[in-house]
Amino acid sequence: MLNFHSGRNMVHLIRSKTTGALMGVIDLIPPVVAMEHYEMEIYPFFIEFYLKGNASGKKLMSRLLLKVLEHLRLDGENAMAAVVDRRNIAATKVLKRSGFYHDGKFDPVQDIYRYPPLKIQ
């Protein structure tokens, strides 16, 4: 949350419509921040997400990510990615349902997924 207050990322809290309870978080990390931590050819807008266990299995995050991605596209953001631990099958499913594709290894334990697919020239 500290980065949000300094204008370095955008945190979106996911709350229950009925109770207002916090159900999860979507964090959007801009390319300028990614440049400080990773060495890449193309610096995408990174998306990180978390959903509490009691909210899982309802495809909630897949639906929300689609809306966030649509909003980012309208704002002109085209290079988007997410990094996921290979053992996190639930997150991998969310990304695939949201239109991300597997783009290979990111590091020894994580894979990178991109959205939309890169255009081959």
Side-chain angles (χ1 to χ4, degrees):
M1 282 287 229
L2 197 52
N3 281 339
F4 174 72
H5 293 293
S6 65
R8 297 179 46 81
N9 68 336
M10 292 173 275
V11 176
H12 300 273
L13 303 178
I14 303 165
R15 296 194 173 278
S16 167
K17 285 183 179 180
T18 55
T19 67
L22 183 64
M23 297 174 64
V25 175
I26 296 175
D27 188 10
L28 303 172
I29 303 164
V32 68
V33 175
M35 285 180 199
E36 296 172 7
H37 303 283
Y38 306 115
E39 198 169 311
M40 306 174 73
E41 286 183 34
I42 299 171
Y43 288 93
F45 211 102
F46 277 99
I47 297 175
E48 295 181 351
F49 56 89
Y50 166 79
L51 196 59
K52 283 187 170 182
N54 62 348
S56 65
K58 300 171 186 164
K59 298 183 182 174
L60 173 65
M61 188 59 73
S62 297
R63 291 192 312 266
L64 290 173
L65 276 184
L66 284 171
K67 292 194 178 295
V68 169
L69 293 166
E70 182 180 303
H71 179 74
L72 287 171
R73 273 202 166 161
L74 291 174
D75 282 352
E77 296 297 338
N78 290 317
M80 292 172 262
V83 176
V84 180
D85 186 307
R86 284 182 202 96
R87 298 170 295 172
N88 191 340
I89 295 167
T92 299
K93 286 181 181 179
V94 166
L95 290 171
K96 288 180 179 179
R97 280 194 299 259
S98 300
F100 284 79
Y101 73 98
H102 183 260
D103 194 37
K105 289 183 175 184
F106 185 75
D107 63 25
V109 295
Q110 300 178 106
D111 287 338
I112 188 164
Y113 288 77
R114 295 190 186 270
Y115 179 95
L118 297 174
K119 294 178 182 174
I120 301 171
Q121 297 180 359

